[in-house]
Amino acid sequence: MFDLEKSIRLWLRAFRKYRAFGHGSIREMELHVRDHIDDLMADGHSERSAFELAVAEFGEVPAMADEAFLNYRRKTTLRSIIFNTMVKNYSKTSLRGLMKNPLTSFINIFGLSVAIGFCLLVYVFIQYDYDIDQFHENKNEIYLTTFFVDRDGEERHYVSAPAPLALHLKDDFEQFRNVCRVEDRDVVMKFEDNVFHEQVRYVDPAFLDMFTFPLQWGASGSLNDINSIILSADMALKYFGTENPLGKDIQMIFREGDSKIFKVSGVAKPFPKARTIDFDFLINFKNLNASDLAFDANDWGTFLSGTFIQVDENAEVGKITDRMAAYRSFQNEGQSDWAITSFGLERLSNLHFATAKIRDDISFDYNAEARLGLPVVALIMLGLACFNYINIALVSATKRLKEIGVRKVIGANKRSVVVQFLTENLVITFFALLIGLFLALTLIIPWFRGLSGDPLKVDFLNLNLWIFMAATMLLTAVVSGVYPAFYISKFDAVKIFKGSIKFGKKSPLTKIFLGAQLVLTCAGIACAILFIQNNEYQNNQSWGYNQNGILYLNLPDSSSFDRLEAAMLDNKNILSISGAQDHLGITHRTSVLRRPDRNFEVDHLSVSPNYLKTMEIEVLVGRSFKDRSENDKRSIVVNELLLEKLKLSDPLGAEFEMDSIKYEVIGVVKDFHSYNFYHELRPTMFTVAEEKEYNYFIARAREGAHKEIYLELRRKWIDLFPEIPFQGGHQEDTWAGFYAQLDTAEHFYKVLSIMAIMLASLGLYGLVNLNVAGRTKEFSIRKVLGAGVSSLSKNVVKEYALLAIVSLSIGIPLSYYMGIATLDMLYAYRVPVTPLPLIMAVMILLIILLAVVSTQIGKVIKSNPVEGLRLEK
Amino acid sequence: MISKNLTAASTKPIILGILKQGTSYGYLIIKKIKELSGGKMKYSDGMLYPVLHRLEKDGLIESKWVMEDDSARPRKYYEITEAGKQELVQEQQQWSQVNAVLNTIWDVKPSTT
């Protein structure tokens, strides 16, 4: 029995063998045959004969396929090139090539792997940096209010908003969805035996509606209750362990004898890692009056940590700030020192990046240095690795000239040679990517995480990461491979077989690439040494006062200074005791000194009269404060820098106004550093503080006795203030973070320079090795003709000596300027530049060069010339 | 019977000519050619399709699949484009010229000398 459908199916199968027929055309032909069969059957043919006739008239399939293929073949797509030529064929030859030259393959792949691994680190870091504070759903609607103040012609940008601003904004701007004040204060927290110093964030209840900090327990609305407290996950763990603390009471001690019990009403889920704004404890803003009796929410002279507003996403910010300008008069009437020129708004999504330009910011930016430096470092490494690759590829081509010749003779055109070399390159970069990924995950990223403390994480679910990796691989493959591929593909097969191509040895481009590599390495090593030197310098730089033996304590309240002083006064090992409202290196106030014509913003420290003596700050002109002198309460002592800014020829007796009170300059002290050396000195002045205002207790211990005094202070503290945890330390510890940062940086630079040296050595080794190997015959002839060690060495060294001289003469000034520019950008006070780093860099490079070249010379000398001459090349 | 080469050479103007009269699909085009030539042009039906696809690729014709109400089968309809119409004019001129040359040659009486 004839089955028409089956016959048609079988017949169609013949078409599917040919790629020239797409699905569409096969369907079209099937319909054609069916139409034809229908017509024939209508004319009285049987199914079978209709089918046979229709198929016969349709014609031979192979002939049709040939015809159709004419259409098909003209479609050369990228895909067809990749699949027809590259993957099938060249990946196989590439792999064979890799196995055949294990040393060069290792140098190429390893160099590229390290560089790619570093690029991945940079990617992960930048990703982290750009994710900071981006998890807030309303990030584009929330703005931080800021203001600008004119300081002697210079406009400065501040965050700390005047306290009443939020109240006015709430009343005057109906379109604001939310307004939230934020103020941070230090308190002591107590739950059963757990007592710690903590920072509490006083906020308006809208805080949790505006920012995305979901709670794991409790309700965000509970902030409306002034007796409620919301904890971060970390703090809940610290005080209550893993149990649910809702409903538990926790005591907040504002100062001795003054505390309040709060009920835990919420615990936040752990915060995302990439953040700068968060909290430990949240309580209702109204509590501020309880903790700070002097706080007045309507006083324009009181400033808060920050005021946030939430608007509609498409609100016109410019119009809002224009309207806010009306508040200037409120502020400027009473606070002439803080006369605001204009208000500003900084969007939350942008706050992290804007933070460097704003003073007293509520968020922070520790990444500026790395954001700039890391990509540069990664690019230099990638550049080094690519130069390595280009050099080695060019030189190894001399060993493959015959292969290229043969390929060309049997019909390969230029394009297919290019494709072959690029494929090889892609295979190499692919391996490098795999190894680089492995290095990044197991070594580079964990190392950087440990170093910087940034919570970097590789997120494989992130599509951008894959795009970045693919892009890095392709870019590296193309950058490092295009030039060698095109260069090699240009060779003429006939010339190759005649042996008239002498390539690799004399190619000026190989030299240029090698030169560029030397320049980069020189710059890398010199900068690393310069930075290490600079770290040494920073470590030994004087702070302008004697830190050794200084101990400081935070005082819990106004009477505590007297009690501590009385307890410690008899101690023979204490040379001097001072009190202070602000303490050097820890806190200071910003005040404005006024003359009739000008005003100066200065760092202001209010201290006890003998503070300068205790801290051993040298008085250059005039005198320090006298003990119990009423007159000295209206006196100021300035630092050299302030004197310079004031431009006074005779500073003593000069009068200034501050907070509408007249002050007289009685002395000038030597400049000292209140900030670490990243920052410039600031004009600073001292005034005498009232004893009840002291926040710090400062003691200078006799040399060698400071540990003992420290323990004694702790003992006395426990006797005097059993309720309050001890908070204090050695003055040197103030800068522990800074010195740790210096150590981190030094470690980083050392690793980098070692990597740069390693990459360069590998590249040089590969290059010289290939170069010498390519000249085996030449050296053999020389040896047979009687060339000795020195003549042979001269011959090898000659090749590189000139190159080294030229590239170093470019590399040295380049490193010099690069190094200085970077240091100037980072440090306000940097090491004076000496030629030492440059000399060392040159020495290191020359040693590498010599070591590499001499191993090859050794090889030449030891080789048997007869073996060399037997070589076919 | 018209030779294979000549048939092949004339395929393009014939298809374009047929499509100029209106849209059509493969089977109908072949049927029309066979009718018009009275069976004198020997064609394998299947050879039509590569030609159609090439013309489409060159932008002389366009195609779209259509499901007609009265038929159970979809059809791929071809339509001539503006470029195709211009191409047809050129083809017509060329064929007329060939025709004219041939006529002239064949009209000349054989020389008696």
Side-chain angles (χ1 to χ4, degrees), chain A residues 326-358:
Chain A
Y327 302 138
R328 279 182 312 190
S329 53
F330 296 123
Q331 165 76 18
N332 300 357
E333 270 166 25
Q335 301 292 322
S336 51
D337 290 348
W338 288 94
I340 291 174
T341 54
S342 62
F343 285 97
L345 291 173
E346 208 60 62
R347 202 171 55 211
L348 178 60
S349 57
N350 195 39
L351 194 55
H352 168 60
F353 295 108
T355 229
K357 286 177 258 146
I358 310 177

Side-chain angles (χ1 to χ4, degrees), chain A residues 2-9 34 37 41 47 51:
Chain A
F2 178 74
D3 182 346
L4 180 63
E5 285 304 315
K6 192 177 167 195
S7 306
I8 292 177
R9 268 205 311 278
R34 284 183 188 277
I37 291 171
M41 281 168 65
E47 259 192 356
F51 172 75

Side-chain angles (χ1 to χ4, degrees), chain A residues 579-590 604-608 611 685-687 689 693-696 698:
Chain A
Q581 191 175 353
D582 316 285
H583 181 46
L584 225 168
I586 297 179
T587 55
H588 68 84
R589 277 173 293 160
T590 306
H604 179 183
L605 295 141
S606 285
V607 295
S608 66
Y611 184 83
M685 66 169 187
F686 294 95
T687 56
E693 287 170 347
Y694 291 168
N695 294 319
Y696 295 92
I698 297 134

